[in-house]
Amino acid sequence: MILSVSRRTDIPAFYAEWFMERLRQKYVLVRNPFNIHSISRIPLTPENIDVIVFWTKNSKPIHKYLDEIDNLGYKYYFQYTITPYKKDMEENIQDKKEIIKSFQTLSAKLGSEKVILRYDPVILTSSYNTAYHKKAFEKLCRHLNGYTKKIIISFIDYYNNTYDNIKSHNIYNITNEDMYIIAENFAETADKYNLKIESCAEQIDLEKFGINHGKCIDDELIEKITGYKIKAGKNGQRISCGCIKCIDIGEYNTCLHKCLYCYANINKDTAFKNYKMHNKFSPLLIGDVDTLKDKIIERNIKDTKSLKQNNSIEDFISQ
């Protein structure tokens, strides 16, 4: 099993202590986002988790737990987002200089291959235009030169809540021509710093700039980290997403960064209201189990077992 921690919220930044308690207890409960009273029980052992993929905009709160995670026997890597936006777009993001320092510290400990930079999403306005992004991207590459090997980029998607949150900011519709200009600028800069760029869930073909479709949940990287071959199907969430299957333990409407472009939060008030219900000792990220209303179901063992390929003759024949 690949454990995603988490696309739905920033667990390393806001819920690191809770996550460590779940690893110590070796299980977690996750609400179904479409039926809040349906809860999955997911085992969290080093034997069934091949790799943990952390998603964050501020890894510092979890740094103090990394040695314990290592000692418990878990393997992991980070998808680390750093964007060039100011408080008008990201009201509660930590100072970018401190974020870059945390990225550098994390990379120094884990190695540059295990800390992947995300420049995500690209947003265009009169202030955040292509020239602005070109300058910001070059500055970021300069600061993180040697601290990462790969950058993942994407362009903003307009979900209903995303549009409602940012419509007053006069966001431009990004055209294919805009994407080509940005991709060419980014590719030239990345080449200067010997960095690889991949796109995240983008249908547009940017290969002529040396930018391939990426896999954030990346089986090739996971095999390098684990030291063994894995067998996993495609994620299937979006047509242009190249990720392999994973289990995400986060919960929507719980991230406190207040990023207006975020698809995972309806609005900042809902997120803060939910955060007040967080109990670091609960097996649920938000709230506690209601024994009268909630139904806990063991997640199917096919979803939670290790993806390590078995080299037995029987498995070889069945492939």
Side-chain angles (χ1 to χ4, degrees):
M1 170 178 65
I2 310 303
L3 194 72
S4 175
V5 184
S6 156
R7 282 187 175 113
R8 300 169 181 169
T9 190
D10 196 330
I11 288 176
F14 301 116
Y15 304 101
E17 191 173 2
W18 170 84
F19 178 70
M20 285 309 306
E21 186 61 24
R22 298 329 314 146
L23 289 187
R24 295 171 191 139
Q25 297 297 324
K26 294 186 169 54
Y27 81 98
V28 66
L29 299 183
V30 180
R31 291 190 187 277
N32 184 325
F34 304 106
N35 179 2
I36 62 171
H37 294 300
S38 177
I39 298 174
S40 294
R41 189 183 192 279
I42 299 168
L44 303 180
T45 69
E47 291 73 33
N48 70 297
I49 297 175
D50 299 281
V51 159
I52 300 168
V53 182
F54 290 110
W55 307 73
T56 191
K57 291 185 176 180
N58 176 19
S59 67
K60 189 174 182 179
I62 207 169
H63 287 187
K64 62 183 178 181
Y65 298 116
L66 294 179
D67 286 341
E68 183 179 356
I69 295 173
D70 292 336
N71 292 334
L72 288 171
Y74 297 94
K75 296 179 174 63
Y76 53 92
Y77 68 94
F78 279 77
Q79 292 277 348
Y80 205 129
T81 300
I82 305 180
T83 56
Y85 309 116
K86 301 174 184 177
K87 295 294 183 180
D88 60 332
M89 287 286 176
E90 302 171 338
E91 185 178 338
N92 200 36
I93 289 286
Q94 189 185 27
D95 181 82
K96 296 298 171 71
K97 291 180 181 179
E98 293 302 315
I99 290 174
I100 288 172
K101 286 181 182 178
S102 294
F103 188 108
Q104 293 169 336
T105 299
L106 188 65
S107 174
K109 179 174 178 60
L110 305 184
S112 58
E113 193 169 36
K114 293 182 182 179
V115 188
I116 297 166
L117 175 62
R118 300 183 68 85
Y119 194 98
D120 169 29
V122 175
I123 300 170
L124 291 180
T125 71
S126 57
S127 299
Y128 302 122
N129 53 28
T130 54
Y132 178 91
H133 281 289
K134 180 180 180 180
K135 183 178 180 180
F137 187 79
E138 198 282 333
K139 184 178 180 180
L140 192 56
C141 289
R142 178 161 33 89
H143 282 302
L144 297 179
N145 185 23
Y147 291 100
T148 190
K149 293 185 180 298
K150 183 165 68 176
I151 302 174
I152 294 177
I153 66 169
S154 75
F155 301 92
I156 188 169
D157 291 309
Y158 294 101
Y159 301 91
N160 288 339
N161 63 298
T162 303
Y163 179 77
D164 289 341
N165 289 334
I166 66 173
K167 61 185 178 182
S168 63
H169 287 258
N170 297 318
I171 306 296
Y172 297 165
N173 287 322
I174 300 180
T175 65
N176 283 359
E177 185 60 31
D178 292 326
M179 295 184 195
Y180 291 143
I181 292 171
I182 290 167
E184 185 174 17
N185 287 338
F186 283 10
E188 290 175 356
T189 300
D191 186 63
K192 175 181 174 182
Y193 292 99
N194 197 30
L195 290 166
K196 180 181 180 181
I197 302 183
E198 292 178 351
S199 64
C200 174
E202 293 293 342
Q203 294 186 27
I204 192 169
D205 185 355
L206 302 175
E207 288 188 13
K208 63 182 177 181
F209 305 110
I211 300 174
N212 296 323
H213 296 289
K215 296 182 286 186
C216 305
I217 309 293
D218 185 348
D219 51 341
E220 294 180 15
L221 175 58
I222 290 168
E223 289 178 344
K224 287 182 181 179
I225 292 173
T226 61
Y228 55 75
K229 290 287 185 180
I230 63 171
K231 185 176 182 179
K234 190 176 180 295
N235 187 6
Q237 283 188 331
R238 297 164 69 180
I239 295 174
S240 49
C241 177
C243 292
I244 63 171
K245 288 183 178 179
C246 65
I247 290 181
D248 197 292
I249 64 168
E251 193 166 330
Y252 293 114
N253 299 308
T254 61
C255 185
L256 308 184
H257 285 311
K258 298 184 181 181
C259 302
L260 296 185
Y261 51 78
C262 181
Y263 66 87
N265 276 357
I266 294 175
N267 59 61
K268 60 186 179 182
D269 294 332
T270 301
F272 273 80
K273 180 180 178 181
N274 287 334
Y275 180 74
K276 291 179 180 179
M277 296 188 291
H278 173 65
N279 172 6
K280 64 184 180 183
F281 296 113
S282 172
L284 290 163
L285 181 63
I286 300 299
D288 296 286
V289 176
D290 185 331
T291 57
L292 296 178
K293 296 180 180 180
D294 293 334
K295 182 178 181 180
I296 299 175
I297 304 169
E298 290 284 344
R299 189 70 180 253
N300 193 313
I301 192 171
K302 291 182 179 180
D303 297 329
T304 61
K305 68 178 182 179
S306 171
L307 301 176
K308 183 177 182 179
Q309 287 196 21
N310 195 323
N311 293 322
S312 69
I313 294 176
E314 291 80 4
D315 285 337
F316 178 77
I317 293 172
S318 67
Q319 290 179 5

